[in-house]
Amino acid sequence: MTTDLTALAADLDASARMRRLHEGALAEQRHLLHDADPDSTVPVIRVDLVKRPLVIALRHAARLVQANGLAKGWWYDPAGGQPKGAWPVCAVGALSTAITGDPMPVEAEELDDELRNAVAILARQIESGIDDPIERIAYWNDADERTAADVASLLRRAAREVTS
């Protein structure tokens, strides 16, 4: 019976992940149909099906930061009293929310492959002497001059890297 419950839990987790990706894909389609990407005049038309979930996650993370605001010093900021999905998030918190549904990722060595790949791609967009990708992103994200628009722009640029 325990094995059946474990398999059921895994299936539910996979189902929730697929639902988030589906919601992200719908948001992506609305974005392509109704909104212009402020960083690009060329919409993403074709994406390798293997890469598509990553592109969706990066673009969805950009929309989360743009809509909810930027958190600095932590993955998310629940202090404003907003519901969980509307909390300001940092760049990594936005990616984690887009991919796992939770704004606070687990320890770096326990990241799942999707989140690890997204973090690595995002970190490559930042010029820095910091080797650890999460620390590199966090240091950049938390700079005093950094805005939600800057972070959203970086996330969209990372999505474009995946498509090229």
Side-chain angles (χ1 to χ4, degrees), residues 78-100:
Q82 302 95 333
K84 184 176 181 180
W87 290 341
V89 288
C90 72
V92 176
L95 279 173
S96 183
T97 300
I99 293 171
T100 70

Side-chain angles (χ1 to χ4, degrees), residues 97-130:
T97 300
I99 293 171
T100 70
D102 188 350
M104 186 167 172
V106 294
E107 296 300 319
E109 52 279 344
E110 297 175 10
L111 296 180
D112 70 12
D113 290 339
E114 281 179 273
L115 188 51
R116 184 177 291 112
N117 290 340
V119 164
I121 288 167
L122 189 61
R124 283 197 301 261
Q125 304 299 314
I126 300 168
E127 299 268 338
S128 172
I130 300 171

Side-chain angles (χ1 to χ4, degrees), residues 34-120:
H34 301 290
D35 299 331
D37 183 342
D39 294 335
S40 174
T41 57
V42 180
V44 176
I45 303 295
R46 295 176 188 259
V47 178
D48 181 328
L49 290 177
V50 173
K51 295 178 182 177
R52 182 141 178 85
L54 187 54
V55 172
I56 291 168
L58 287 160
R59 286 179 159 256
H60 185 57
R63 284 188 294 275
L64 286 170
V65 171
Q66 198 91 43
N68 298 347
L70 180 62
K72 294 186 180 189
W74 198 243
W75 306 113
Y76 62 95
D77 181 11
Q82 302 95 333
K84 184 176 181 180
W87 290 341
V89 288
C90 72
V92 176
L95 279 173
S96 183
T97 300
I99 293 171
T100 70
D102 188 350
M104 186 167 172
V106 294
E107 296 300 319
E109 52 279 344
E110 297 175 10
L111 296 180
D112 70 12
D113 290 339
E114 281 179 273
L115 188 51
R116 184 177 291 112
N117 290 340
V119 164

Side-chain angles (χ1 to χ4, degrees), residues 91-92 95 118-120 122-123 126 132-142 154:
V92 176
L95 279 173
V119 164
L122 189 61
I126 300 168
D132 180 75
I134 290 180
E135 287 181 28
R136 177 184 290 203
I137 295 167
Y139 183 79
W140 179 86
N141 181 97
D142 293 350
L154 184 75

